Amino acid sequence: MKHPAIAAALLGAAWILTGCATGNAPPSVPPPMAEAIPKPPVTPTPLIWQPGHWDWTGSSYVWAPGQYVARGGHGELWMPPYWEQIESGWVWHPAHWV
């Protein structure tokens, strides 16, 4: 494409729409899996544990195991994934830092 901004906007719209569903409520998010938190690796960058969580593929849930991530660049509060009902259907909100 000649216009990268348009391509990025179309890709973003497609990503948002994959989380939408019409009609019946989507399946409930499974409870988190138990996982042992290992000692953090030694790095020059401060790390924070990002808990494991369920991701929605568009047709089912897949488990994303916990991992250490760089502390910088995001908030301090971890928000688990959830579905939100809106007027036009359901929207998937993936796990994220707030």
Side-chain angles (χ1 to χ4, degrees), residues 29-92:
V29 180
M33 296 176 72
E35 58 186 349
I37 300 174
K39 289 184 178 183
V42 177
T43 66
T45 305
L47 301 174
I48 190 169
W49 178 254
Q50 177 173 290
H53 57 277
W54 292 102
D55 284 327
W56 179 248
T57 67
S59 60
S60 65
Y61 293 102
V62 293
W63 179 252
Q67 62 182 340
Y68 280 98
V69 297
R71 181 177 291 275
H74 55 72
E76 296 288 323
L77 179 63
W78 177 251
M79 176 67 72
Y82 64 96
W83 286 100
E84 177 185 18
Q85 186 173 15
I86 60 172
E87 190 174 314
S88 61
W90 291 86
V91 177
W92 171 250

Side-chain angles (χ1 to χ4, degrees), residues 1-16:
M1 283 190 121
K2 290 184 177 182
H3 303 286
I6 294 173
L10 290 173
L11 181 60
W15 180 79
I16 290 170

